[in-house]
Amino acid sequence: MNQLFGGFQFLKVPEMSFSNAPHTKAAVAQFIVSDFIFQEREIPVLRKIARCCETHVSDAVFESVKNKEGCPGVLVSIGFEIDEDTDGNHLHRSLSNISRLLLERFLGLLSFALGIQLRGLHLQFTILHEGGGTKTIRPSNRTGESTRNLDFPVAFTSGVLPLIDESVFNALFWFRRGLAQQDSINTFNALVTCLEILSKRLVHPLPVVMDVCGKCGEKRRRDAGAMASLKALLRDVLKCDDDIAGRIIRARNAITVHGGKAVNSEILADLTDLKFETATLACSALSIALEMDPNDAPVIRPEWFITDSDLYLD
C-alpha cells in the first residue's frame, strides 16, 4: 500500500470560507485520497459532493499532493461548523465523529459516482480559533484503488443533487466496501447489505402475513422480512434476470444469513460471477434512490471483480 505520508502528519489547513453563523465554531476535516488524480475543471463537482455530505458543510478545498516516491493523491479539506456551546469534554468526540462521517460519506458518494474503489488516509480534524488554531491528528485507512480518468454522471455535473437521507448514505457505506474488498465473501456480503438497505426504501410495503402461534394457537401479524423485500427489489424494481436473482438469493442465504444454508463449493465458485452482478444491481438501485436517469448511472468496471473465490481461504 502506498502511503502518501508516514506516521503522524500535520496537514496544512487551507484558506476556506465559513458562514460565520451565530453561536458556531469553524472546524476542518482533512484526509488524503490516495492514487487519485483530478483536473481543475472537476473541482466544482467534488465540492458539490462534499456539500451533500452534511448540512453544516461550509466549504471544501482539493489539492493535488504526492509522496516522496511520486505517487499521486488528493488532500481533501472540508470545512464545517459546530455549536459553540459544545464543551471541552464533548468537543473532541464531536469533531472526531463529524470528521469520520464526512470521510465516509464523501468517499462513498464519490466511489458510487465514478464506479471506482477509493482509499482515504490520515483523517485529521482541526478546530479554528481567532488568532491561531489547534490541531489533533486522527489517522485512518479505508481500502481501495482509484482511477486516472474521472467520468462523472450528468446528475453530478449539472443541477443540484437531491437531498440524500441517512438510509442512502448507509447503503453507500456498504457499497464502497463492496468495491474495496478483495475477498469474494466480504465483497458479496457488503453488496447484499447495500441492496437490503435500499429495498426498505425502494420497495412498496409488502402485505402483512398472518400466521398462527405454535404454542397458543393465536393468530398474529408478521411483517414481510428482509428476504421478501430483497426478492421484490430484484424482481420488481431492478428487473433482474430470474436466474441471477435466484443465485443471489441462494448465496445470500448461505453466506449473509449465518448458518441459513450450507456454504458449498458450488456457491463459493458462483461468487466470482455473482459479485460483479451484485455490484451492478447495487449501483442501479443507488441510481434510483438518488433519482438519477437510468441511462446516466455509473458503470462498474468488471476487471476489479476478477479474483479467485478460494484466494483468501485459510
Side-chain angles (χ1 to χ4, degrees):
M1 179 182 70
N2 291 325
Q3 291 203 351
L4 289 163
F5 295 90
F8 294 93
Q9 176 68 32
F10 287 91
L11 306 175
K12 179 182 178 182
V13 178
E15 183 176 339
M16 307 188 78
S17 299
F18 293 90
S19 65
N20 295 319
H23 312 298
T24 62
K25 293 179 181 178
V28 180
Q30 293 180 286
F31 51 91
I32 295 168
V33 183
S34 63
D35 302 315
F36 190 78
I37 294 176
F38 70 99
Q39 305 295 325
E40 288 293 321
R41 64 177 181 274
E42 293 158 345
I43 289 179
V45 183
L46 296 173
R47 185 172 287 123
K48 184 187 297 187
I49 290 173
R51 285 176 171 160
C52 284
C53 294
E54 228 284 337
T55 55
H56 300 300
V57 170
S58 300
D59 198 4
V61 175
F62 306 90
E63 302 174 67
S64 296
V65 292
K66 290 184 179 181
N67 67 0
K68 61 183 180 180
E69 286 81 25
C71 298
V74 177
L75 170 58
V76 180
S77 302
I78 302 177
F80 61 96
E81 291 165 311
I82 60 173
D83 189 343
E84 71 174 0
D85 294 330
T86 304
D87 61 42
N89 294 331
H90 296 95
L91 180 61
H92 185 278
R93 180 178 295 276
S94 179
L95 287 170
S96 176
N97 290 344
I98 294 173
S99 297
R100 291 178 183 276
L101 182 68
L102 289 172
L103 180 147
E104 290 289 354
R105 289 184 169 182
F106 179 82
L107 291 182
L109 195 51
L110 183 61
S111 183
F112 163 72
L114 297 174
I116 62 175
Q117 304 166 340
L118 294 170
R119 177 190 295 122
L121 302 174
H122 307 314
L123 175 63
Q124 169 185 308
F125 55 84
T126 304
I127 184 71
L128 305 180
H129 302 286
E130 288 188 21
T134 59
K135 300 181 181 181
T136 306
I137 194 76
R138 279 293 176 269
S140 179
N141 288 342
R142 300 292 185 268
T143 60
E145 297 173 359
S146 188
T147 183
R148 295 297 183 261
N149 300 309
L150 305 188
D151 186 16
F152 287 105
V154 174
F156 284 77
T157 58
S158 62
V160 179
L161 288 171
L163 183 65
I164 303 174
D165 67 18
E166 293 285 342
S167 66
V168 178
F169 274 124
N170 287 343
L172 285 166
F173 175 92
W174 289 106
F175 177 78
R176 186 171 73 82
R177 278 157 177 73
L179 294 189
Q181 294 291 340
Q182 292 179 303
D183 177 71
S184 295
I185 292 177
N186 291 338
T187 295
F188 184 78
N189 268 337
L191 293 171
V192 167
T193 301
C194 171
L195 284 170
E196 290 189 354
I197 292 169
L198 292 171
S199 71
K200 298 174 185 178
R201 177 185 178 88
L202 300 179
V203 173
H204 293 298
L206 298 174
V208 174
V209 177
M210 301 297 296
D211 63 7
V212 178
C213 177
K215 293 184 178 180
C216 67
E218 181 182 354
K219 290 185 176 180
R220 58 188 180 186
R221 295 163 58 90
R222 180 167 58 84
D223 293 334
M227 166 77 84
S229 295
L230 177 60
K231 286 181 177 178
L233 176 68
L234 296 175
R235 180 186 65 244
D236 302 330
V237 179
L238 301 177
K239 310 299 182 185
C240 179
D241 177 82
D242 288 342
D243 177 64
I244 295 295
R247 290 163 61 197
I248 289 174
I249 294 298
R250 284 194 296 273
R252 177 257 187 199
N253 290 344
I255 293 171
T256 305
V257 182
H258 304 293
K261 299 288 183 180
V263 180
N264 55 36
S265 59
E266 180 182 352
I267 287 175
L268 286 174
D270 208 20
L271 287 180
T272 301
D273 295 328
L274 282 182
K275 58 186 180 179
F276 173 66
E277 299 289 351
T278 310
T280 301
L281 290 165
C283 195
S284 297
L286 282 165
S287 299
I288 295 171
L290 290 169
E291 302 175 13
M292 294 174 60
D293 184 335
N295 297 321
D296 187 38
V299 176
I300 301 298
R301 298 171 63 174
E303 59 265 30
W304 282 333
F305 292 88
I306 301 175
T307 52
D308 186 346
S309 58
D310 298 325
L311 182 61
Y312 293 92
L313 296 181
D314 295 327

